[in-house]
Amino acid sequence: MTGLSADQRAGFESVVDEHGLFSWLGIELEAVEDGRVVLRVPYDEKFANLVAGGEGNVHGGVTATLVDTASGFALRSTFEDPAAARLTTTDLDVSYLRPATDDLTVEAEVLRAGGSMGVTDATVSSTAPNGERKDVAVGRTSYRLFRGSG
């Protein structure tokens, strides 16, 4: 995989900054290269399913959103102009492995980016209460890619 140009990376960062949901979630772009993206979301109590005592696990919808978002960004990296890429999710499958109780990091990698369809795999990790970094979810997505003018 090759790194993206400074302009392409800036395009990704502007998408994050200008998108209401991404801004609200506090998504941070950790790494982006051709076919691979790493995003991070700091833990926030507003994302938690709170239980008695104030502790809570990150809501699964936040985790699924990260799988979808990172996957879309990874596929965007395969376009000539990632910031202007057009694509839409056609399938999203997330398997939850354990509760997430801290910041979330998701790494998405393109398995296939064809002319009209793309497929990715993603892994979400978080720091467990014992301090060890653990995978909390895995996902696979497929997207309809709109390449060219049509």
Side-chain angles (χ1 to χ4, degrees):
M1 291 184 207
T2 60
L4 299 180
S5 72
D7 285 344
Q8 289 171 317
R9 184 177 174 91
F12 274 100
E13 289 171 347
S14 72
V15 169
V16 170
D17 293 341
E18 295 170 10
H19 193 286
L21 177 62
F22 300 163
S23 296
W24 183 79
L25 288 170
I27 289 177
E28 300 169 1
L29 186 61
E30 295 278 312
V32 59
E33 53 193 50
D34 187 23
R36 180 181 166 271
V37 168
V38 178
L39 302 177
R40 180 179 171 278
V41 169
Y43 178 86
D44 191 308
E45 192 174 278
K46 69 186 176 191
F47 305 145
N49 292 313
L50 295 178
V51 295
E55 295 182 21
N57 302 325
V58 176
H59 188 280
V62 174
T63 305
T65 297
L66 282 178
V67 168
D68 189 31
T69 302
S71 296
F73 276 32
L75 282 162
R76 282 176 175 271
S77 74
T78 69
F79 283 73
E80 188 173 321
D81 181 359
R86 294 180 45 235
L87 48 97
T88 189
T89 309
T90 58
D91 188 50
L92 171 66
D93 180 51
V94 179
S95 296
Y96 299 94
L97 308 174
R98 63 183 44 88
T101 58
D102 201 350
D103 299 351
L104 297 174
T105 301
V106 59
E107 179 176 350
E109 189 166 349
V110 172
L111 299 177
R112 181 178 191 284
S116 63
M117 290 297 297
V119 178
T120 68
D121 270 346
T123 302
V124 182
S125 62
S126 183
T127 303
N130 68 1
E132 188 177 343
R133 193 97 189 139
K134 299 247 184 185
D135 291 346
V136 297
V138 292
R140 177 163 285 178
T141 65
S142 61
Y143 284 77
R144 170 71 168 92
L145 308 177
F146 300 94
R147 297 191 187 272
S149 60

